[in-house]
């Protein structure tokens, strides 16, 4: 399961600096708007100590962690939905992602120009939210104009569902309410998937602070962002993009030592990844053996055949059963054989709901 997150924010809030840290790529990070013109894509591995345990146990020929794709999208300014700055060119890229990471400036620095003149994280968030809402509203209005009369005339159930759902969207968007904050039925949500609405996507606010506040974990601006995010059940991660960029240049052992010295228990980037997984309701299962140990991302609530299909469509189509043990049991007993002797190895069928940390061997026949 491929996971994409789009990094957005006003110019000069630290987006490109954060992206540099994520991908260890030297993307231009300049002190002026639109230093990033095209969306830059970087794939990072998701840290998971369980995979390290499996590697030590099986000593496989290859080790494949699950990955996370970040897209650094050009800085947004007020009026983007009407073509200001880079306009809708940037908005089209956001529609392709699973989640939005909105970098919000929560630090003061006279040497770094703020496009709006001063530091005000809530104003910055609302500028972006309005642009995203206006972009979705345009799509809704165009679609309603196209099918509205036809749906009323034919009384077709599918078309009526679509038009009524879009009218519901329109009413909320016109009140500046993002679609992620609207309650939809499962049927309505299934219909809305076709439109890739930006404001329906989950959002995480990355509060970019200075190094001192990153160690403390907060400041007055961060608290404002947390209060705002809590009202829409969004996530907040506090980090210092500049510090993360410096950490990304270090070897793993040096990085751990440096973090211990300054009092950081984990990096902001790791927190960002874990928060995204939590917000999107994702989890990890494993396949393990002497040839390969691999982590796979799945959505919580998925059944075994669907998870098998993440590996290969034939696995799902011809699914018979899944030999499963939990990572915790393997860690406790030390070997597969001892897990079996303890009666902890299970045979699960088509209705089994996959659990985080399951180690699986799928049996199938096509």
């Amino acid at each position: 399961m491929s996971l994409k997150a789009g990094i957005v924010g006003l110019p000069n809030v630290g987006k490109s600096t954060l992206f540099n840290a994520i991908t260890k790529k030297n993307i231009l990070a300049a002190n002026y708007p639109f230093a990033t013109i095209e969306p830059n894509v970087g794939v990072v591995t998701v840290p998971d100590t369980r995979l390290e345990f499996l590697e030590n146990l099986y000593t496989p020929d290859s080790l494949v962690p699950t990955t996370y794709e970040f897209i650094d999208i050009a800085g947004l300014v007020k009026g983007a939905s009407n073509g200001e700055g880079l306009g809708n060119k940037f908005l089209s890229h956001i529609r392709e992602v699973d989640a939005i990471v909105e970098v919000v400036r929560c630090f003061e620095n006279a040497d770094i120009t703020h496009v709006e003149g001063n530091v005000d994280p809530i104003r910055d968030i609302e500028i972006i939210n309005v642009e995203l809402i206006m972009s979705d509203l345009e799509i809704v209005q165009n679609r309603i104009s196209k099918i509205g009369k036809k749906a009323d005339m034919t009384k077709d159930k599918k078309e009526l569902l679509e038009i009524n759902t879009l009218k519901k969207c329109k009413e909320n968007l016109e009140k500046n309410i993002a679609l992620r904050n609207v309650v939809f039925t499962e049927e309505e949500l299934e219909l809305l998937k076709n439109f890739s609405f930006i404001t329906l996507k989950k959002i995480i606010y990355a509060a970019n602070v200075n190094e001192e506040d990153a160690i403390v974990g907060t400041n007055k601006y961060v608290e404002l962002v947390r209060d705002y995010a809590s009202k829409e059940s969004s996530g907040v991660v506090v980090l210092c993009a500049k510090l993360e960029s410096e950490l990304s240049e270090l070897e793993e052992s040096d990085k751990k030592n440096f973090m211990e010295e300054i009092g950081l228990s984990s990096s902001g980037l790791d927190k960002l990844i874990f928060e995204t997984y939590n917000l999107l309701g994702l989890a990890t299962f494993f396949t393990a053996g002497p040839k390969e140990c691999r982590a796979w991302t799945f959505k919580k609530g998925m059944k075994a055949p669907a998870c098998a299909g993440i590996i290969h469509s034939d696995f799902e189509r011809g699914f018979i059963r899944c030999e499963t043990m939990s990572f915790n049991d393997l860690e406790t007993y030390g070997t597969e054989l001892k897990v079996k002797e303890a009666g902890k190895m299970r045979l699960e069928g088509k209705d089994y709901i996959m659990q985080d940390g399951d180690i699986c061997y799928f049996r199938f026949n096509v």
Side-chain angles (χ1 to χ4, degrees):
M1 177 179 282
S2 176
L3 178 65
K4 294 182 181 179
I7 305 177
V8 303
L10 292 175
N12 298 345
V13 297
K15 287 191 311 88
S16 293
T17 304
L18 178 60
F19 184 77
N20 289 348
I22 288 170
T23 63
K24 297 183 182 178
K25 291 182 179 178
N26 188 27
I27 301 302
L28 176 63
N31 182 27
Y32 55 89
F34 316 126
T36 308
I37 303 300
E38 295 296 333
N40 300 286
V41 181
V43 179
V44 296
T45 59
V46 176
D48 196 325
T49 55
R50 295 174 296 183
L51 199 57
E52 295 172 15
F53 176 89
L54 295 177
E55 181 182 24
N56 291 331
L57 180 63
Y58 289 97
T59 58
D61 295 336
S62 67
L63 186 75
V64 186
T66 188
T67 57
Y68 193 149
E69 190 171 293
F70 282 96
I71 303 173
D72 181 28
I73 298 167
L76 170 66
V77 293
K78 190 183 295 183
S81 57
N82 294 319
E84 295 293 327
L86 297 172
N88 284 314
K89 184 174 184 181
F90 121 92
L91 293 171
S92 65
H93 296 303
I94 302 183
R95 297 193 185 282
E96 301 168 5
V97 304
D98 302 297
I100 297 171
V101 176
E102 184 174 331
V103 183
V104 185
R105 180 166 167 173
C106 292
F107 67 91
E108 295 178 359
N109 188 328
D111 295 328
I112 301 178
T113 305
H114 193 295
V115 72
E116 290 294 322
N118 66 307
V119 179
D120 184 343
I122 304 306
R123 175 205 59 208
D124 295 353
I125 288 171
E126 291 183 342
I127 285 174
I128 289 183
N129 283 352
V130 166
E131 297 307 322
L132 302 185
I133 283 170
M134 293 301 292
S135 179
D136 281 352
L137 183 58
E138 182 181 1
I139 291 175
V140 169
Q141 289 172 330
N142 289 341
R143 184 61 179 168
I144 289 175
S145 298
K146 186 174 181 180
I147 69 164
K149 289 182 180 179
K150 182 185 175 185
D152 289 336
M153 289 175 61
T154 63
K155 302 298 181 184
D156 180 83
K157 286 185 178 181
K158 288 183 179 179
E159 290 183 345
L160 284 173
L161 172 64
E162 180 177 353
I163 198 70
N164 290 332
T165 304
L166 290 174
K167 284 179 178 178
K168 182 177 178 179
C169 292
K170 182 174 181 286
E171 289 171 6
N172 283 280
L173 291 170
E174 287 178 338
K175 296 175 185 175
N176 280 338
I177 299 173
L179 297 181
R180 63 178 169 273
N181 298 323
V182 179
V183 177
F184 292 104
T185 65
E186 286 187 18
E187 198 175 21
E188 289 170 335
L189 284 172
E190 190 63 32
L191 185 149
L192 292 177
K193 284 180 182 179
N194 299 321
F195 295 93
S196 298
F197 287 129
I198 300 172
T199 64
L200 195 57
K201 299 178 187 298
K202 299 286 188 179
I203 191 166
I204 293 173
Y205 298 105
N208 187 15
V209 300
N210 59 34
E211 185 175 323
E212 292 77 17
D213 291 338
I215 295 168
V216 175
T218 191
N219 64 26
K220 63 180 182 180
Y221 298 122
V222 171
E223 291 309 308
L224 291 173
V225 174
R226 280 184 172 144
D227 182 60
Y228 186 95
S230 68
K231 293 173 184 176
E232 60 175 22
S233 300
S234 295
V236 178
V237 172
V238 181
L239 51 77
C240 172
K242 183 174 180 293
L243 176 60
E244 295 298 324
S245 185
E246 292 169 357
L247 286 172
S248 70
E249 299 298 324
L250 301 176
E251 294 294 333
E252 196 60 33
S253 58
D254 294 334
K255 176 181 171 181
K256 288 180 180 179
N257 290 335
F258 180 64
M259 285 172 58
E260 287 178 4
E261 287 178 13
I262 64 175
L264 277 180
S265 57
S266 61
S267 74
L269 296 184
D270 287 353
K271 291 177 184 176
L272 181 59
I273 291 171
F274 295 141
E275 181 62 29
T276 308
Y277 264 58
N278 180 55
L279 200 64
L280 291 176
L282 301 176
T284 304
F285 73 88
F286 302 92
T287 50
K291 288 186 177 181
E292 179 185 84
C293 288
R294 183 164 183 163
W296 304 87
T297 300
F298 71 99
K299 197 165 184 64
K300 291 176 183 176
M302 286 178 67
K303 292 184 178 180
C307 287
I310 294 173
I311 300 174
H312 197 286
S313 58
D314 284 350
F315 285 24
E316 181 175 10
R317 188 158 54 94
F319 181 90
I320 299 173
R321 64 179 181 272
C322 174
E323 294 182 9
T324 310
M325 60 180 164
S326 74
F327 174 82
N328 289 339
D329 285 339
L330 181 60
E331 188 178 38
T332 298
Y333 293 101
T335 66
E336 276 191 34
L337 179 60
K338 289 182 179 178
V339 170
K340 289 178 180 178
E341 289 173 347
K344 298 292 184 178
M345 182 72 76
R346 313 184 309 275
L347 290 178
E348 303 291 359
K350 293 181 178 180
D351 292 329
Y352 176 68
I353 297 174
M354 194 67 71
Q355 301 297 310
D356 183 58
D358 277 349
I359 302 169
C360 306
Y361 179 76
F362 296 103
R363 295 194 177 277
F364 71 102
N365 182 38
V366 176

